């Protein structure tokens, strides 16, 4: 299986499983990722997702150039690819928070997938980069659109115009990642972030992500006035009453997701 998918304790774990190819995404892997994201969107038992790569060498080295089918860059750009690279880079319909567990190098499309996640925990030995121009190609599936919106302009241009990689330390300095840890501390760090998410009401988390993702292009006043479906659902939920009741009773809330 080129992608491993498991769900336990309200957490979905999606693992690119081609370590012999630095977890590069071929057409079969792309199709499986699209299927998985669609399944996650339809499941209310999933409250958080961890996306990572198998092994320690690479998170994902991007598209598998050996599986390109002879397409030109223009043909690749014209082909439908819902949600950007790996189905996640530019996805706007997934309201569950996604943590990128960057266990190794994330390059090209692999970096685009990382940019499409909500939280990023990175091993100190990993690197990030968009090397496409060094191959005469372009970061078409989210790289050019996302990087300039997530770090300062000069830093983004410096990376994209040279195709150079940055270290985990640089990524942290650019405020691009949430945390950098030693490789052997990666799982513990991810679990801490998961614990924080799972401590919150799931409908509140969904509403926050939906609001942020769908109103970023609006003014603050317009965004505040947006009557989004997840926002309305959270405000009418039983969980908002449970949260207040648990606070008054000095106990942990028991979230029902309704």
């Amino acid at each position: 299986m080129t992608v491993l998918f498991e769900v336990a304790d309200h957490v979905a774990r999606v693992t690119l499983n081609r370590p012999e190819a630095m977890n590069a995404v071929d057409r079969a892997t792309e199709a499986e990722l699209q299927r998985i994201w669609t399944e996650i969107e339809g499941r209310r038992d999933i409250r958080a997702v961890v996306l990572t790569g198998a092994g320690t060498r690479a998170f994902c080295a991007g598209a598998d150039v050996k599986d390109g089918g002879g397409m030109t860059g223009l043909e690749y750009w014209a082909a439908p690819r819902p949600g950007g690279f790996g189905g996640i880079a530019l996805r706007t319909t997934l309201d569950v928070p996604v943590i990128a567990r960057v266990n190794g190098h994330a390059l090209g499309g692999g970096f685009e997938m990382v940019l499409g996640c909500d939280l990023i925990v990175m091993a100190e030995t990993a690197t990030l980069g968009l090397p496409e121009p060094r191959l005469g190609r372009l970061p078409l599936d989210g790289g050019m659109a996302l990087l300039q919106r997530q770090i300062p302009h000069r830093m983004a241009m410096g990376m994209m115009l040279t195709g150079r990689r940055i270290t985990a330390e640089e990524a942290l300095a650019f405020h691009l990642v949430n945390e950098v840890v030693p490789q052997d501390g990666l799982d513990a760090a991810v679990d801490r972030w998961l614990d924080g998410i799972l401590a919150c009401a799931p409908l509140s988390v969904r509403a926050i992500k939906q609001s942020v993702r769908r109103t970023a292009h609006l003014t603050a006043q317009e965004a505040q006035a947006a009557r989004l479906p997840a926002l309305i659902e959270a405000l009418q939920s039983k969980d908002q009453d449970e949260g207040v009741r648990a606070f008054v009773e000095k106990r942990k809330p028991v979230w029902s997701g309704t």
Side-chain angles (χ1 to χ4, degrees):
M1 297 177 65
T2 62
V3 185
L4 304 178
F5 175 55
E6 60 179 354
V7 180
D9 300 322
H10 301 293
V11 176
R13 296 182 187 272
V14 181
T15 305
L16 300 170
N17 190 35
R18 303 185 70 218
E20 74 287 351
M22 293 185 68
N23 296 317
V25 175
D26 58 10
R27 283 174 289 184
T29 303
E30 176 78 25
E32 180 62 5
L33 285 167
Q34 294 284 358
R35 186 199 69 77
I36 287 171
W37 298 127
T38 300
E39 179 179 338
I40 291 173
E41 287 177 345
R43 292 180 59 168
R44 283 304 182 99
D45 61 314
I46 296 174
R47 293 168 52 187
V49 182
V50 177
L51 174 63
T52 192
T56 59
R57 185 183 178 197
F59 172 87
C60 174
D64 189 339
V65 295
K66 296 179 182 179
D67 189 51
M71 285 193 298
T72 66
L74 189 60
E75 289 169 336
Y76 178 88
W77 184 46
R81 198 165 289 99
F85 194 88
I88 190 65
L90 295 168
R91 199 172 199 91
T92 59
T93 51
L94 180 61
D95 296 330
V96 177
V98 182
I99 300 174
R101 175 187 178 274
V102 186
N103 54 302
H105 307 303
L107 306 173
F111 186 23
E112 291 175 324
M113 294 177 75
V114 170
L115 290 171
C117 294
D118 304 295
L119 301 172
I120 304 171
V121 182
M122 189 173 177
E124 61 187 9
T125 54
T127 64
L128 306 171
L130 296 171
E132 286 89 344
R134 296 194 176 197
L135 301 176
R137 294 297 178 98
L138 299 166
L140 294 168
D141 288 330
M144 289 186 292
L146 293 170
L147 187 60
Q148 62 166 313
R149 289 169 166 80
Q150 296 187 20
I151 65 174
H153 175 78
R154 298 284 181 261
M155 309 307 180
M157 294 301 284
M159 289 182 66
M160 290 190 288
L161 295 178
T162 65
R164 79 177 185 91
R165 301 185 193 185
I166 62 170
T167 65
E169 183 180 357
E170 289 176 293
L172 190 63
F174 291 172
H175 303 294
L176 182 57
V177 302
N178 295 91
E179 189 174 358
V180 172
V181 296
Q183 182 76 46
D184 60 6
L186 194 55
D187 287 329
V190 169
D191 286 344
R192 286 194 298 272
W193 287 100
L194 284 172
D195 288 343
I197 292 170
L198 296 176
C200 298
L203 293 182
S204 294
V205 170
R206 282 177 172 268
I208 290 168
K209 178 170 177 177
Q210 188 177 102
S211 296
V212 170
R213 287 295 182 104
R214 298 192 188 183
T215 66
H217 63 292
L218 303 176
T219 66
Q221 291 79 8
E222 291 169 337
Q224 191 277 335
R227 301 298 187 255
L228 296 171
L231 183 70
I232 294 170
E233 183 181 14
L235 292 174
Q236 295 178 327
S237 69
K238 296 177 182 177
D239 275 348
Q240 68 170 344
D241 297 326
E242 165 62 11
V244 174
R245 186 162 52 247
F247 178 80
V248 172
E249 296 174 0
K250 298 182 180 180
R251 60 174 175 82
K252 290 185 177 180
V254 179
W255 306 123
S256 66
T258 60

